[in-house]
Amino acid sequence: MTTIQPNDGDFKNLRSQDRPAEPSADLFVPQPLDSTVREELAAPAPTFWKEAWERLFKNKGAVVSLVLLIILSAMSLIGPSMNEFTYREQHIPHSNLPPKVAGLEWLGFDGKDVNGVDQYTQRGVETNYWFGTDEFGRDLWTRVWKGTQISLFIALVAAFLDLVIGVIYGGISAYYGGRIDNFMQRIIEILTGIPNLIVIILFILILEPGIRSIILAMIITGWVGMARVVRGQMLQLKGQEFVLASRTLGASDSRLMRKHLLPNVMGPIIVTVMFTIPTAIFFEAFLSFIGLGLQAPLASLGVLIEDGYDAIRSFPYKLLIPAVVISLVMICFNLLADGLRDALDPKMRK
Amino acid sequence: MTHELKEQHTTNAGQDDLLVVSDLKKHFRLNRKTVLKAVDGISFSIKKGETLGLVGESGCGKSTVGRTLTRIYEPTDGEVHFDGLKLKGRLDGKTKKRINRDVQMIFQDPYSSLNPRMTVSEIISEGLVIHNPDMSQKDREKRVHELLLLVGLNKNHAGRYPHEFSGGQRQRIGIARALAVEPKFIVADEPIAALDVSIQAQIVNLLKELQEERGLTYLFIAHDLSMVKYISDRIAVMYLGKIVELAGSEALYEKPLHPYTQALLSAIPLPDPEKERTREQIVLTGDVPSPTDIPSGCRFRTRCPFAMDSCAVIDPEFREVEPGHSVACHLYDAEIMAKEGKELKTV
Ligand SMILES: Nc1ncnc2c1ncn2[C@@H]1O[C@H](COP(=O)(O)OP(=O)(O)OP(=O)(O)O)[C@@H](O)[C@H]1O
Ligand code: SF4
Ligand SMILES: [Mg+2]
């Protein structure tokens, strides 16, 4: 067999036959920057988060949702104290009053019942109930915003559990891998194998129906989706060369987590939280609706909808208002999550 | 380095070795039954200031060798002597810290080797933050600027994010990151495989310049033989977790001994078209066996055109058949060839 003739140390031999250009001197000096690159570099480089933020702001649905959510949250906090009624104070003479707002009569807030009779003049009621009253004469305005408070509180709890238990669980499972990962994944499989409803019923047997049982049930299973997302992302990141480079430099576990792994899973984490929230809100509303959640006189949107549902023919406003509010909350969270996903999706970069 | 010097270097083993690897193994346990023998007992040494090329097909375990040397992976077995340190089993904190400083790695993929959420300055100074925590912010900045200049970038690049750079520029950033901690030994894991040809030359040249300036020692990994010879003093050819041939780069190109090396070389086109037409080509047939199920005897026998009966039974010993030129093949073993009744291949 013949072998190639080595031409010591330079590229001539190699380049003359199958490479396009002769090496010129400028190949071996610091790479000259071409003018286009320099122009691009003249503008300050947007960071990932700034870019994502700008993309989010271009998404009308997400912006409107964000504004609506802020308004709804503000109302849930100040709404109950905007009039003199409390959510539990009963006033039987004022029961079942339709909504009435001075100046908004044209919108249906005219105090007239399904038969077109103005209940306020008929019963001689002086004060206006903006969202009407229920069968015990409790002010629905206060109760609806109290209920919204509960829903948003559940949202906070869900987000907190996702971020604390879900992220840490998924992170540990992926980071340490091997037997630990195996064991932790089996636990998740068992947890997801048990239906949520069974878990909550178990808690109701031990405690009693209410927010405590709901939160306990969420602690058991609410973070599983997040743990899976984080684990998947981390496993993928762990093998990336920049993580290996950092390990070669002797970075500690906590440094790897803080500087390399977490910043790169932040996007998926945010998106997952935003999608978990509406599910959790619906879970609470659903439980309250079937009577396993919050109990009267506490107000939750689910409880209110359940009450309204019983009287849908004679007093449709009792169902309509809480239903609209909970739908708004859920749609807004979903649209915002959608917008965030588009804004943070790493596939759109590169 | 002149030709003569290089030859000399390949022949005298001992004193000036920076790295001596003996019988290094890295096995991955995939499940209860299967063990993947990515690196299955390799030995070599690298002198101070030398570049050893490590060549082999995809999946033969080259990266695993590099990652075991940098201690990203814990070796399954074997011993490594590095700069007066004996590395065996688990390392204590102090030794680990020294390795983390003295042994660095340059990676293949310029896109995944830089953290997209960090600025160039943060990327390059990571080693400084870890190893010189007392260094002031200002000194660190100055050092980053020096390093950027050193690798042919400029200090305006420090505040940028990786996605603003081309492949070649990213590779330069990776080199600057490795140099920041002033290592003695650098594992370059196919640093040019993902780059355009013209950029490849730039990066190889940069590495050479840096080596001359700072007396660096390289393990330069590549998957084919075409580019390694321009940077390597000696080349090791790896097949399925073992080194099958090791020689000075000149000797390896002129006189490849192992059938696998010959096959790899015959895949490179020759400069002279007349020679190219008439030369004898060794074309490899069949697939590389799985590293979970390595053939008995010689691991190359399933694809070797010269395979004999003994090859299935006896694992060829890795022996020096002429000064500075070692090979693992029965064709160069007088005893086995006599037993087979065949003519000994002359070196
Ligand atoms: N962490 C790991 N766990 C299990 N198997 C691994 C691991 N790392 C590598 N391997 C296996 O070890 C073998 C050698 O891999 P390695 O990456 O070292 O090959 P390589 O020679 O660098 O190939 P390439 O040229 O494609 O980079 C492959 O079969 C690979 O699948
Ligand atoms: S030992 Fe046998 S099978 Fe292996 S390379 Fe040599 S001749 Fe081929
Ligand atoms: Mg590799």
Side-chain angles (χ1 to χ4, degrees), chain B residues 26-30 36-39 56-67 73 108 189-190 221-223 238 290-292:
Chain B
K26 178 65 199 176
H27 297 176
F28 295 105
R29 181 166 285 280
L30 298 186
L36 188 150
K37 300 181 173 173
V39 176
E57 281 165 296
S58 185
C60 71
K62 306 178 299 292
S63 298
T64 308
V65 172
R67 289 173 185 187
Y73 296 155
Q108 169 175 359
D189 189 359
E190 309 200 32
I221 299 176
H223 62 261
M238 212 174 153
S290 158
T292 53

Side-chain angles (χ1 to χ4, degrees), chain A residues 4 10 41 249 255 260, chain B residues 126 131 160 164 230 270 279:
Chain A
I4 63 169
D10 68 16
L41 291 177
L249 285 165
R255 185 181 172 84
H260 296 282
Chain B
E126 177 156 29
H131 292 281
R160 315 265 154 200
E164 299 170 70
Y230 298 102
L270 298 183
R279 76 166 157 169

Side-chain angles (χ1 to χ4, degrees), chain B residues 1-10:
Chain B
M1 203 179 274
T2 66
H3 189 91
E4 288 79 9
L5 249 176
K6 217 190 274 180
E7 283 297 273
Q8 235 180 41
H9 266 261
T10 56

